[in-house]
PDB file of all heavy atoms in Angstrom:
ATOM      1  N   ASP A  22      18.167   5.234  -3.815  1.00  0.00           N
ATOM      2  CA  ASP A  22      16.813   4.804  -4.187  1.00  0.00           C
ATOM      3  C   ASP A  22      15.952   4.500  -2.956  1.00  0.00           C
ATOM      4  O   ASP A  22      14.831   4.809  -2.888  1.00  0.00           O
ATOM      5  CB  ASP A  22      16.959   3.651  -5.168  1.00  0.00           C
ATOM      6  CG  ASP A  22      15.546   3.292  -5.780  1.00  0.00           C
ATOM      7  OD1 ASP A  22      14.813   4.130  -6.172  1.00  0.00           O
ATOM      8  OD2 ASP A  22      15.273   2.027  -5.834  1.00  0.00           O
ATOM      9  N   LEU A  23      16.520   3.780  -2.014  1.00  0.00           N
ATOM     10  CA  LEU A  23      15.808   3.352  -0.888  1.00  0.00           C
ATOM     11  C   LEU A  23      15.446   4.538   0.027  1.00  0.00           C
ATOM     12  O   LEU A  23      14.315   4.589   0.554  1.00  0.00           O
ATOM     13  CB  LEU A  23      16.611   2.324  -0.051  1.00  0.00           C
ATOM     14  CG  LEU A  23      16.700   0.941  -0.653  1.00  0.00           C
ATOM     15  CD1 LEU A  23      17.780   0.130   0.037  1.00  0.00           C
ATOM     16  CD2 LEU A  23      15.264   0.213  -0.474  1.00  0.00           C
ATOM     17  N   VAL A  24      16.336   5.476   0.151  1.00  0.00           N
ATOM     18  CA  VAL A  24      16.049   6.673   0.911  1.00  0.00           C
ATOM     19  C   VAL A  24      14.933   7.496   0.261  1.00  0.00           C
ATOM     20  O   VAL A  24      14.016   8.001   0.915  1.00  0.00           O
ATOM     21  CB  VAL A  24      17.303   7.558   1.136  1.00  0.00           C
ATOM     22  CG1 VAL A  24      16.968   8.915   1.697  1.00  0.00           C
ATOM     23  CG2 VAL A  24      18.310   6.829   2.078  1.00  0.00           C
ATOM     24  N   GLU A  25      14.937   7.555  -1.068  1.00  0.00           N
ATOM     25  CA  GLU A  25      13.896   8.300  -1.828  1.00  0.00           C
ATOM     26  C   GLU A  25      12.604   7.604  -1.614  1.00  0.00           C
ATOM     27  O   GLU A  25      11.506   8.197  -1.439  1.00  0.00           O
ATOM     28  CB  GLU A  25      14.260   8.375  -3.248  1.00  0.00           C
ATOM     29  CG  GLU A  25      13.273   9.204  -4.085  1.00  0.00           C
ATOM     30  CD  GLU A  25      13.043  10.564  -3.540  1.00  0.00           C
ATOM     31  OE1 GLU A  25      14.025  11.177  -2.973  1.00  0.00           O
ATOM     32  OE2 GLU A  25      11.930  11.101  -3.635  1.00  0.00           O
ATOM     33  N   GLU A  26      12.562   6.222  -1.645  1.00  0.00           N
ATOM     34  CA  GLU A  26      11.338   5.496  -1.370  1.00  0.00           C
ATOM     35  C   GLU A  26      10.800   5.756  -0.014  1.00  0.00           C
ATOM     36  O   GLU A  26       9.612   6.017   0.234  1.00  0.00           O
ATOM     37  CB  GLU A  26      11.532   3.986  -1.517  1.00  0.00           C
ATOM     38  CG  GLU A  26      10.240   3.180  -1.267  1.00  0.00           C
ATOM     39  CD  GLU A  26      10.419   1.699  -1.424  1.00  0.00           C
ATOM     40  OE1 GLU A  26      11.512   1.228  -1.951  1.00  0.00           O
ATOM     41  OE2 GLU A  26       9.455   1.021  -1.018  1.00  0.00           O
ATOM     42  N   TYR A  27      11.700   5.807   0.963  1.00  0.00           N
ATOM     43  CA  TYR A  27      11.364   6.141   2.358  1.00  0.00           C
ATOM     44  C   TYR A  27      10.698   7.497   2.442  1.00  0.00           C
ATOM     45  O   TYR A  27       9.662   7.667   3.024  1.00  0.00           O
ATOM     46  CB  TYR A  27      12.586   6.085   3.250  1.00  0.00           C
ATOM     47  CG  TYR A  27      12.290   6.633   4.647  1.00  0.00           C
ATOM     48  CD1 TYR A  27      11.687   5.822   5.593  1.00  0.00           C
ATOM     49  CD2 TYR A  27      12.568   7.978   4.908  1.00  0.00           C
ATOM     50  CE1 TYR A  27      11.378   6.375   6.821  1.00  0.00           C
ATOM     51  CE2 TYR A  27      12.234   8.463   6.109  1.00  0.00           C
ATOM     52  CZ  TYR A  27      11.660   7.687   7.169  1.00  0.00           C
ATOM     53  OH  TYR A  27      11.341   8.224   8.323  1.00  0.00           O
ATOM     54  N   ARG A  28      11.312   8.483   1.767  1.00  0.00           N
ATOM     55  CA  ARG A  28      10.746   9.861   1.808  1.00  0.00           C
ATOM     56  C   ARG A  28       9.305   9.833   1.183  1.00  0.00           C
ATOM     57  O   ARG A  28       8.414  10.534   1.674  1.00  0.00           O
ATOM     58  CB  ARG A  28      11.638  10.798   0.985  1.00  0.00           C
ATOM     59  CG  ARG A  28      12.906  11.245   1.675  1.00  0.00           C
ATOM     60  CD  ARG A  28      13.745  12.049   0.621  1.00  0.00           C
ATOM     61  NE  ARG A  28      15.062  12.406   1.100  1.00  0.00           N
ATOM     62  CZ  ARG A  28      15.317  13.601   1.625  1.00  0.00           C
ATOM     63  NH1 ARG A  28      14.392  14.539   1.849  1.00  0.00           N
ATOM     64  NH2 ARG A  28      16.545  13.883   2.031  1.00  0.00           N
ATOM     65  N   SER A  29       9.160   9.153   0.122  1.00  0.00           N
ATOM     66  CA  SER A  29       7.863   9.108  -0.566  1.00  0.00           C
ATOM     67  C   SER A  29       6.789   8.447   0.308  1.00  0.00           C
ATOM     68  O   SER A  29       5.682   8.966   0.443  1.00  0.00           O
ATOM     69  CB  SER A  29       7.982   8.368  -1.846  1.00  0.00           C
ATOM     70  OG  SER A  29       8.859   9.030  -2.767  1.00  0.00           O
ATOM     71  N   VAL A  30       7.127   7.358   0.869  1.00  0.00           N
ATOM     72  CA  VAL A  30       6.241   6.626   1.731  1.00  0.00           C
ATOM     73  C   VAL A  30       5.868   7.559   2.987  1.00  0.00           C
ATOM     74  O   VAL A  30       4.716   7.700   3.304  1.00  0.00           O
ATOM     75  CB  VAL A  30       6.847   5.281   2.309  1.00  0.00           C
ATOM     76  CG1 VAL A  30       6.002   4.680   3.406  1.00  0.00           C
ATOM     77  CG2 VAL A  30       6.998   4.309   1.101  1.00  0.00           C
ATOM     78  N   ARG A  31       6.837   8.180   3.555  1.00  0.00           N
ATOM     79  CA  ARG A  31       6.614   9.057   4.668  1.00  0.00           C
ATOM     80  C   ARG A  31       5.708  10.245   4.311  1.00  0.00           C
ATOM     81  O   ARG A  31       4.787  10.682   5.023  1.00  0.00           O
ATOM     82  CB  ARG A  31       7.881   9.509   5.333  1.00  0.00           C
ATOM     83  CG  ARG A  31       7.667  10.435   6.565  1.00  0.00           C
ATOM     84  CD  ARG A  31       6.797   9.839   7.650  1.00  0.00           C
ATOM     85  NE  ARG A  31       7.083   8.563   8.115  1.00  0.00           N
ATOM     86  CZ  ARG A  31       7.976   8.266   9.164  1.00  0.00           C
ATOM     87  NH1 ARG A  31       8.518   9.207   9.822  1.00  0.00           N
ATOM     88  NH2 ARG A  31       8.161   6.993   9.437  1.00  0.00           N
ATOM     89  N   ALA A  32       6.003  10.823   3.125  1.00  0.00           N
ATOM     90  CA  ALA A  32       5.175  11.956   2.658  1.00  0.00           C
ATOM     91  C   ALA A  32       3.683  11.521   2.500  1.00  0.00           C
ATOM     92  O   ALA A  32       2.771  12.257   2.877  1.00  0.00           O
ATOM     93  CB  ALA A  32       5.718  12.507   1.300  1.00  0.00           C
ATOM     94  N   ALA A  33       3.460  10.350   1.932  1.00  0.00           N
ATOM     95  CA  ALA A  33       2.132   9.830   1.848  1.00  0.00           C
ATOM     96  C   ALA A  33       1.453   9.617   3.164  1.00  0.00           C
ATOM     97  O   ALA A  33       0.288   9.946   3.355  1.00  0.00           O
ATOM     98  CB  ALA A  33       2.093   8.501   1.015  1.00  0.00           C
ATOM     99  N   SER A  34       2.228   9.112   4.161  1.00  0.00           N
ATOM    100  CA  SER A  34       1.677   8.872   5.523  1.00  0.00           C
ATOM    101  C   SER A  34       1.309  10.190   6.143  1.00  0.00           C
ATOM    102  O   SER A  34       0.221  10.365   6.753  1.00  0.00           O
ATOM    103  CB  SER A  34       2.654   8.107   6.343  1.00  0.00           C
ATOM    104  OG  SER A  34       2.873   6.817   5.865  1.00  0.00           O
ATOM    105  N   ILE A  35       2.203  11.178   6.033  1.00  0.00           N
ATOM    106  CA  ILE A  35       1.930  12.499   6.635  1.00  0.00           C
ATOM    107  C   ILE A  35       0.673  13.115   5.980  1.00  0.00           C
ATOM    108  O   ILE A  35      -0.187  13.617   6.732  1.00  0.00           O
ATOM    109  CB  ILE A  35       3.110  13.433   6.421  1.00  0.00           C
ATOM    110  CG1 ILE A  35       4.291  12.934   7.431  1.00  0.00           C
ATOM    111  CG2 ILE A  35       2.747  14.861   6.735  1.00  0.00           C
ATOM    112  CD1 ILE A  35       5.607  13.571   7.226  1.00  0.00           C
ATOM    113  N   THR A  36       0.522  13.013   4.716  1.00  0.00           N
ATOM    114  CA  THR A  36      -0.641  13.527   4.017  1.00  0.00           C
ATOM    115  C   THR A  36      -1.948  12.839   4.510  1.00  0.00           C
ATOM    116  O   THR A  36      -2.936  13.477   4.817  1.00  0.00           O
ATOM    117  CB  THR A  36      -0.474  13.399   2.511  1.00  0.00           C
ATOM    118  OG1 THR A  36       0.677  14.122   2.099  1.00  0.00           O
ATOM    119  CG2 THR A  36      -1.723  13.974   1.735  1.00  0.00           C
ATOM    120  N   LEU A  37      -1.881  11.503   4.599  1.00  0.00           N
ATOM    121  CA  LEU A  37      -2.999  10.723   5.126  1.00  0.00           C
ATOM    122  C   LEU A  37      -3.412  11.218   6.449  1.00  0.00           C
ATOM    123  O   LEU A  37      -4.553  11.535   6.737  1.00  0.00           O
ATOM    124  CB  LEU A  37      -2.723   9.256   5.127  1.00  0.00           C
ATOM    125  CG  LEU A  37      -3.685   8.349   5.892  1.00  0.00           C
ATOM    126  CD1 LEU A  37      -5.031   8.336   5.215  1.00  0.00           C
ATOM    127  CD2 LEU A  37      -3.123   6.956   6.063  1.00  0.00           C
ATOM    128  N   PHE A  38      -2.450  11.163   7.458  1.00  0.00           N
ATOM    129  CA  PHE A  38      -2.773  11.491   8.818  1.00  0.00           C
ATOM    130  C   PHE A  38      -3.147  12.981   9.053  1.00  0.00           C
ATOM    131  O   PHE A  38      -3.994  13.263   9.869  1.00  0.00           O
ATOM    132  CB  PHE A  38      -1.698  11.040   9.736  1.00  0.00           C
ATOM    133  CG  PHE A  38      -1.576   9.522   9.821  1.00  0.00           C
ATOM    134  CD1 PHE A  38      -0.427   8.890   9.358  1.00  0.00           C
ATOM    135  CD2 PHE A  38      -2.581   8.761  10.382  1.00  0.00           C
ATOM    136  CE1 PHE A  38      -0.339   7.480   9.466  1.00  0.00           C
ATOM    137  CE2 PHE A  38      -2.463   7.363  10.484  1.00  0.00           C
ATOM    138  CZ  PHE A  38      -1.318   6.755   9.993  1.00  0.00           C
ATOM    139  N   ALA A  39      -2.500  13.820   8.261  1.00  0.00           N
ATOM    140  CA  ALA A  39      -2.794  15.272   8.447  1.00  0.00           C
ATOM    141  C   ALA A  39      -4.208  15.598   7.943  1.00  0.00           C
ATOM    142  O   ALA A  39      -4.762  16.585   8.442  1.00  0.00           O
ATOM    143  CB  ALA A  39      -1.802  16.089   7.614  1.00  0.00           C
ATOM    144  N   GLY A  40      -4.774  14.782   7.122  1.00  0.00           N
ATOM    145  CA  GLY A  40      -6.132  15.020   6.653  1.00  0.00           C
ATOM    146  C   GLY A  40      -7.241  14.437   7.482  1.00  0.00           C
ATOM    147  O   GLY A  40      -8.445  14.563   7.141  1.00  0.00           O
ATOM    148  N   LEU A  41      -6.914  13.842   8.564  1.00  0.00           N
ATOM    149  CA  LEU A  41      -8.002  13.163   9.392  1.00  0.00           C
ATOM    150  C   LEU A  41      -8.694  14.148  10.243  1.00  0.00           C
ATOM    151  O   LEU A  41      -8.079  15.063  10.848  1.00  0.00           O
ATOM    152  CB  LEU A  41      -7.333  12.061  10.242  1.00  0.00           C
ATOM    153  CG  LEU A  41      -6.728  10.873   9.530  1.00  0.00           C
ATOM    154  CD1 LEU A  41      -6.168   9.869  10.583  1.00  0.00           C
ATOM    155  CD2 LEU A  41      -7.718  10.186   8.629  1.00  0.00           C
ATOM    156  N   GLY A  42      -9.989  13.947  10.425  1.00  0.00           N
ATOM    157  CA  GLY A  42     -10.738  14.752  11.393  1.00  0.00           C
ATOM    158  C   GLY A  42     -10.558  14.168  12.775  1.00  0.00           C
ATOM    159  O   GLY A  42     -10.130  13.142  12.953  1.00  0.00           O
ATOM    160  N   SER A  43     -11.011  14.942  13.797  1.00  0.00           N
ATOM    161  CA  SER A  43     -10.774  14.568  15.132  1.00  0.00           C
ATOM    162  C   SER A  43     -11.413  13.274  15.497  1.00  0.00           C
ATOM    163  O   SER A  43     -10.916  12.481  16.328  1.00  0.00           O
ATOM    164  CB  SER A  43     -11.277  15.687  16.099  1.00  0.00           C
ATOM    165  OG  SER A  43     -12.632  15.898  15.856  1.00  0.00           O
ATOM    166  N   GLU A  44     -12.609  12.919  14.922  1.00  0.00           N
ATOM    167  CA  GLU A  44     -13.276  11.684  15.234  1.00  0.00           C
ATOM    168  C   GLU A  44     -12.569  10.477  14.704  1.00  0.00           C
ATOM    169  O   GLU A  44     -12.741   9.372  15.215  1.00  0.00           O
ATOM    170  CB  GLU A  44     -14.725  11.741  14.736  1.00  0.00           C
ATOM    171  CG  GLU A  44     -14.883  11.710  13.222  1.00  0.00           C
ATOM    172  CD  GLU A  44     -14.517  12.953  12.458  1.00  0.00           C
ATOM    173  OE1 GLU A  44     -14.287  14.069  13.056  1.00  0.00           O
ATOM    174  OE2 GLU A  44     -14.390  12.891  11.230  1.00  0.00           O
ATOM    175  N   ALA A  45     -11.758  10.650  13.668  1.00  0.00           N
ATOM    176  CA  ALA A  45     -11.084   9.455  13.075  1.00  0.00           C
ATOM    177  C   ALA A  45      -9.967   8.917  13.956  1.00  0.00           C
ATOM    178  O   ALA A  45      -9.701   7.674  13.927  1.00  0.00           O
ATOM    179  CB  ALA A  45     -10.479   9.845  11.721  1.00  0.00           C
ATOM    180  N   TRP A  46      -9.301   9.784  14.703  1.00  0.00           N
ATOM    181  CA  TRP A  46      -8.145   9.319  15.474  1.00  0.00           C
ATOM    182  C   TRP A  46      -8.368   8.233  16.438  1.00  0.00           C
ATOM    183  O   TRP A  46      -7.514   7.388  16.727  1.00  0.00           O
ATOM    184  CB  TRP A  46      -7.467  10.529  16.219  1.00  0.00           C
ATOM    185  CG  TRP A  46      -6.844  11.523  15.341  1.00  0.00           C
ATOM    186  CD1 TRP A  46      -7.211  12.789  14.989  1.00  0.00           C
ATOM    187  CD2 TRP A  46      -5.590  11.282  14.578  1.00  0.00           C
ATOM    188  NE1 TRP A  46      -6.318  13.383  14.193  1.00  0.00           N
ATOM    189  CE2 TRP A  46      -5.294  12.428  13.898  1.00  0.00           C
ATOM    190  CE3 TRP A  46      -4.741  10.217  14.476  1.00  0.00           C
ATOM    191  CZ2 TRP A  46      -4.202  12.560  13.051  1.00  0.00           C
ATOM    192  CZ3 TRP A  46      -3.589  10.317  13.686  1.00  0.00           C
ATOM    193  CH2 TRP A  46      -3.334  11.519  12.945  1.00  0.00           C
ATOM    194  N   THR A  47      -9.564   8.116  17.055  1.00  0.00           N
ATOM    195  CA  THR A  47      -9.873   7.164  18.035  1.00  0.00           C
ATOM    196  C   THR A  47     -10.744   5.999  17.505  1.00  0.00           C
ATOM    197  O   THR A  47     -11.250   5.173  18.320  1.00  0.00           O
ATOM    198  CB  THR A  47     -10.499   7.826  19.285  1.00  0.00           C
ATOM    199  OG1 THR A  47     -11.647   8.543  18.861  1.00  0.00           O
ATOM    200  CG2 THR A  47      -9.477   8.723  19.945  1.00  0.00           C
ATOM    201  N   ARG A  48     -10.966   5.906  16.197  1.00  0.00           N
ATOM    202  CA  ARG A  48     -11.697   4.773  15.702  1.00  0.00           C
ATOM    203  C   ARG A  48     -10.878   3.548  15.960  1.00  0.00           C
ATOM    204  O   ARG A  48      -9.699   3.464  15.840  1.00  0.00           O
ATOM    205  CB  ARG A  48     -11.991   5.001  14.220  1.00  0.00           C
ATOM    206  CG  ARG A  48     -13.042   6.060  14.017  1.00  0.00           C
ATOM    207  CD  ARG A  48     -13.567   6.047  12.636  1.00  0.00           C
ATOM    208  NE  ARG A  48     -14.615   7.108  12.512  1.00  0.00           N
ATOM    209  CZ  ARG A  48     -14.622   8.038  11.589  1.00  0.00           C
ATOM    210  NH1 ARG A  48     -13.691   8.121  10.660  1.00  0.00           N
ATOM    211  NH2 ARG A  48     -15.559   8.959  11.641  1.00  0.00           N
ATOM    212  N   ARG A  49     -11.629   2.441  16.298  1.00  0.00           N
ATOM    213  CA  ARG A  49     -11.059   1.239  16.838  1.00  0.00           C
ATOM    214  C   ARG A  49     -11.155   0.106  15.868  1.00  0.00           C
ATOM    215  O   ARG A  49     -12.075   0.014  15.092  1.00  0.00           O
ATOM    216  CB  ARG A  49     -11.595   0.791  18.175  1.00  0.00           C
ATOM    217  CG  ARG A  49     -11.250   1.728  19.269  1.00  0.00           C
ATOM    218  CD  ARG A  49     -11.701   1.193  20.648  1.00  0.00           C
ATOM    219  NE  ARG A  49     -11.050   1.910  21.671  1.00  0.00           N
ATOM    220  CZ  ARG A  49      -9.877   1.591  22.139  1.00  0.00           C
ATOM    221  NH1 ARG A  49      -9.217   0.588  21.711  1.00  0.00           N
ATOM    222  NH2 ARG A  49      -9.288   2.371  23.093  1.00  0.00           N
TER     223      ARG A  49
END
């Protein structure tokens, strides 16, 4: 269950970061 949660959390993070435009990466 914990490994599955980890996979889900990571999938959400990858989706979030993969959708960012170039200007977003350096926002402070």
Side-chain angles (χ1 to χ4, degrees):
D22 185 46
L23 286 165
V24 170
E25 185 56 34
E26 179 180 351
Y27 170 84
R28 286 176 185 261
S29 296
V30 170
R31 181 54 53 92
S34 296
I35 289 170
T36 302
L37 167 67
F38 290 115
L41 296 180
S43 60
E44 70 286 348
W46 288 110
T47 56
R48 288 193 178 128
R49 291 188 165 273

